[in-house]
Amino acid sequence: MKKEMMQSLQTFYFLLLTFATGVFYFCFYLVSLVFSLSMAFTLIGLPMITYVMRSTRTFARYERIQTKIYTDLSIDPYGEPAIKEGSLWQQAKEELTDRRNWTIIGWLMLKFPLGLLALLLAVLCYIAPVIFILVPLAVPYLDIYFAGIRVDTFVKSLFVMAGGVLLAYAGAKLGRSSALLVGRYIRQMFERLHT
């Protein structure tokens, strides 16, 4: 029982982390790419482009490790290209023309809608059952409506609590499946990098 509770808690963390990283990647790449490309005509823009494009390697490595920790899916790392020396223009050109950088950016930015779905599933699978289970404690103090029916007696609150227990059981299975779906998404990203 304790193992299942820990696994459910770990899955809940992973779903919330998927949402947070999805929002971060979307905002980071949207803002940094637009800003650095618009500043490319100055000397400041070229190093920014280079470092923004190189950040894809770090974020991909982070996603691989995170997926391994939370879902136990093993993902083969991809061989990172060596950082080439040269002028700022040459380094920026190398990073901008590297297909793998753009592939990773696309996959990481698409993690945003996946993160929104993960947040919705985390709330439905893990937070809603706890709220339903705690309904009998709140009936004397709050006006609670469930599916349009007022829960004003202890018996009705026990039915809601029983529904919360069933939802917790089903939510744990659904949450684990959705975490594995996110893990497979990251694995698919790395398989695309190998081709």
Side-chain angles (χ1 to χ4, degrees):
M1 181 71 176
K2 185 178 179 182
K3 183 180 178 185
E4 286 99 19
M5 292 281 288
M6 291 304 292
Q7 187 176 22
S8 292
L9 191 60
Q10 190 174 8
T11 303
F12 176 68
Y13 288 152
F14 182 64
L15 292 175
L16 290 181
L17 196 58
T18 299
F19 170 71
T21 55
V23 170
F24 170 74
Y25 294 144
F26 184 78
C27 294
F28 175 77
Y29 283 116
L30 187 66
V31 171
S32 62
L33 283 175
V34 168
F35 183 71
S36 62
L37 289 173
S38 65
M39 296 296 289
F41 65 91
T42 67
L43 196 56
I44 297 170
L46 293 176
M48 286 178 65
I49 290 172
T50 304
Y51 290 120
V52 166
M53 297 305 279
R54 286 181 185 165
S55 70
T56 59
R57 301 169 191 144
T58 304
F59 293 144
R61 214 174 19 249
Y62 170 75
E63 287 296 322
R64 182 179 158 271
I65 293 168
Q66 174 185 309
T67 301
K68 173 64 179 156
I69 289 171
Y70 287 106
T71 62
D72 286 334
L73 291 174
S74 60
I75 300 171
D76 296 331
Y78 76 97
E80 294 185 16
I83 297 175
K84 296 186 170 98
E85 297 298 322
S87 68
L88 289 175
W89 286 102
Q90 187 63 28
Q91 288 181 15
K93 180 184 171 197
E94 291 291 327
E95 294 298 331
L96 281 172
T97 57
D98 190 359
R99 178 192 59 85
R100 292 188 294 183
N101 285 340
W102 291 106
T103 302
I104 294 172
I105 288 172
W107 282 82
L108 291 178
M109 286 184 76
L110 283 174
K111 198 174 173 195
F112 176 63
L114 186 65
L116 291 175
L117 180 64
L119 178 66
L120 177 68
L121 287 172
V123 169
L124 288 177
C125 296
Y126 297 104
I127 295 175
V130 172
I131 292 172
F132 289 168
I133 290 170
L134 295 177
V135 163
L137 299 175
V139 165
Y141 308 107
L142 300 172
D143 287 336
I144 299 172
Y145 288 89
F146 181 73
I149 300 170
R150 184 169 186 218
V151 181
D152 55 355
T153 64
F154 186 69
V155 175
K156 289 180 183 177
S157 68
L158 287 179
F159 282 119
V160 173
M161 185 177 91
V165 170
L166 292 175
L167 185 61
Y169 178 75
K173 302 289 183 194
L174 180 63
R176 181 70 181 151
S177 298
S178 58
L180 289 174
L181 178 73
V182 173
R184 288 188 193 111
Y185 176 82
I186 300 301
R187 180 186 280 173
Q188 186 79 19
M189 177 180 79
F190 275 88
E191 287 174 2
R192 286 291 177 125
L193 292 174
H194 290 298
T195 59

